[in-house]
Amino acid sequence: MARVRRLPITTSADVSRLVVSWLRGHPSQHTRSRYRRDLGRLAGWLLTHRGRGLLDARAEDIIAFARTRTGRQHDLDHQAHPLRRHNTIATQATAWSSFYGFCVRDGALEANPVAAARAVDAAAAYPPHPHNPARHLDASALRNLLVEAHRDPWLGGTLGAALVGLLLASTWRPERVTTRHLVDVLDQVDPATGRPTVRAGDEWAPLPEVVHDYLRTWIETERPSGRGPELFRDRSGLRLITAVDLMRLVNRCAARAELGDTITASQVARAARELAHRDIDLALPDLAELRRCAPVPEQLALPDDPRDYDSAEVGGQHALIPLPDNVVPLARRARRTRQVGSAGRQHTRR
């Protein structure tokens, strides 16, 4: 069956422009770099071994190339490390499928050859393993997580509530949440329902009224003005909030809420998505309730790693919430190392 193309794509420059448009939809720089690298390897193999361009790939080509990615270059034996080997190649297949899915939506292709390859031979096309859904995170646990985010000593208040609230409402990956701009939130309304929304590229997510209130309050009253278009910055305005900051915030809040110290931001987003599919309302508290039940402690400047915080060394900050008992601050660990090292040197001199 002939492919239906919206525009004639006949030169490598046309394909390059298509790839650039595809990568522009991924906010994470690391994702763009990895996807560009994985797609480039597929393009090189297609040209060298099949004599075809990237848009002329067939299902059998995808299967053949997937079988060449056996994991031997990573020392992953298919018997000793079957799961690691599978996931190593499944990550690459995700990039290929993302590109061809974009081409289908753009009208450059009629069908996704990676999807066709998985229908022919699922084992060879390496579909990704399902993620851990974190089923123990129910609506009550997610509400407790947001309450703890409001009282976080580094990213608390409306900033913490806006970060975690947007993660729960959009169910996006952490990097999609932290890379939002003001225009993605301000005055964005779904024309069909008239409700507030937030956008990321071509994706739109409805915002509950309480989450929209978190974001509007952060933007209008606490966010540093004149510091660029990014939505999330620390209170000094000098430092952008990154996906790593959001992941650490979720991990700290989960530990304080006694949900465990292995909860990740991605698991929280998947749990919120699963509850939304089951039509379960999270019933998040409004700002007035948050300020009453979880007052914000005196805020500290965000360090490179919040585990570096030692409450015993901060004078006059008794309202700060301590870290979980099983987390040893890095500063304390470094001090112990220096003490042990100096004791050893003194012993050697004697």
Side-chain angles (χ1 to χ4, degrees):
M1 183 180 298
R3 294 179 176 86
V4 178
R5 295 178 177 174
R6 181 174 56 83
L7 292 173
I9 300 178
T10 57
T11 66
S12 59
D14 296 332
V15 177
S16 297
R17 283 192 290 270
L18 192 64
V19 172
V20 169
S21 299
W22 163 61
L23 292 173
R24 194 180 295 123
H26 298 279
S28 171
Q29 179 181 354
H30 299 290
T31 301
R32 292 195 298 268
S33 299
R34 181 171 59 81
Y35 276 19
R36 184 186 294 109
R37 181 178 64 249
D38 292 338
L39 187 67
R41 289 170 177 167
L42 173 62
W45 185 89
L46 284 170
L47 185 61
T48 303
H49 296 273
R50 300 296 199 205
R52 298 193 183 104
L54 199 56
L55 298 184
D56 298 314
R58 304 172 182 173
E60 55 267 28
D61 298 332
I62 300 297
I63 293 174
F65 181 62
R67 285 173 174 163
T68 66
R69 314 300 292 173
T70 58
R72 282 194 295 267
Q73 60 178 336
H74 304 285
D75 295 327
L76 301 180
D77 181 75
H78 73 283
Q79 293 180 346
H81 306 284
L83 185 60
R84 286 185 61 201
R85 188 183 76 118
H86 181 108
N87 287 342
T88 298
I89 308 171
T91 301
Q92 301 176 32
T94 301
W96 315 332
S97 182
S98 174
F99 171 72
Y100 286 119
F102 173 83
C103 292
V104 171
R105 293 191 299 272
D106 190 66
L109 286 180
E110 185 182 59
N112 184 343
V114 178
R118 287 171 175 164
V120 173
D121 188 347
Y126 296 98
H129 283 290
H131 294 291
N132 177 13
R135 298 184 185 279
H136 62 287
L137 292 177
D138 55 8
S140 176
L142 296 182
R143 282 195 299 271
N144 292 339
L145 196 72
L146 185 128
V147 169
E148 294 297 338
H150 188 266
R151 60 157 61 106
D152 187 74
W154 292 280
L155 297 177
T158 55
L159 174 57
L163 279 165
V164 176
L166 183 55
L167 179 70
L168 296 176
S170 66
T171 70
W172 289 332
R173 297 188 304 273
E175 61 269 21
R176 294 181 76 84
V177 172
T178 56
T179 53
R180 294 306 91 222
H181 287 181
L182 294 173
V183 294
D184 299 330
V185 178
L186 291 175
D187 302 324
Q188 298 290 350
V189 177
D190 186 349
T193 62
R195 297 181 56 187
T197 60
V198 63
R199 68 175 183 179
D202 295 331
E203 295 185 25
W204 295 78
L207 286 180
E209 291 295 336
V210 291
V211 176
H212 187 251
D213 190 29
Y214 302 158
L215 291 165
R216 294 294 305 193
T217 304
W218 161 248
I219 293 171
E220 295 173 357
T221 64
E222 295 188 26
R223 179 187 174 275
S225 60
R227 291 292 185 178
E230 295 82 9
L231 176 60
F232 294 115
R233 287 178 172 266
D234 70 353
R235 288 174 176 80
S236 69
L238 302 176
R239 187 181 188 277
L240 290 175
I241 303 300
T242 65
V244 174
D245 296 323
L246 176 55
M247 289 186 282
R248 287 172 175 165
L249 171 64
V250 169
N251 192 251
R252 293 196 303 271
C253 295
R256 286 198 298 266
E258 299 182 352
L259 301 177
D261 56 358
T262 60
I263 299 298
T264 66
S266 297
Q267 287 179 330
V268 168
R270 286 195 292 270
R273 186 183 307 118
E274 184 174 320
L275 293 175
H277 289 165
R278 292 157 53 189
D279 294 329
I280 297 178
D281 185 10
L282 295 181
L284 298 176
D286 57 22
L287 273 178
E289 183 180 351
L290 283 175
R291 288 165 176 164
R292 184 173 59 253
C293 70
V296 184
E298 188 173 351
Q299 294 289 293
L300 287 178
L302 188 68
D304 290 336
D305 189 341
R307 290 175 300 174
D308 198 24
Y309 164 65
D310 188 350
S311 58
E313 295 182 350
V314 181
Q317 302 284 343
H318 304 296
L320 289 173
I321 300 171
L323 291 171
D325 295 334
N326 59 343
V327 177
V328 178
L330 297 182
R332 194 178 303 167
R333 266 184 268 165
R335 189 166 58 251
R336 289 175 185 170
T337 304
R338 289 194 298 269
Q339 290 172 353
V340 172
S342 61
R345 287 192 296 271
Q346 291 176 3
H347 177 74
T348 302
R349 285 197 295 269
R350 287 198 297 268

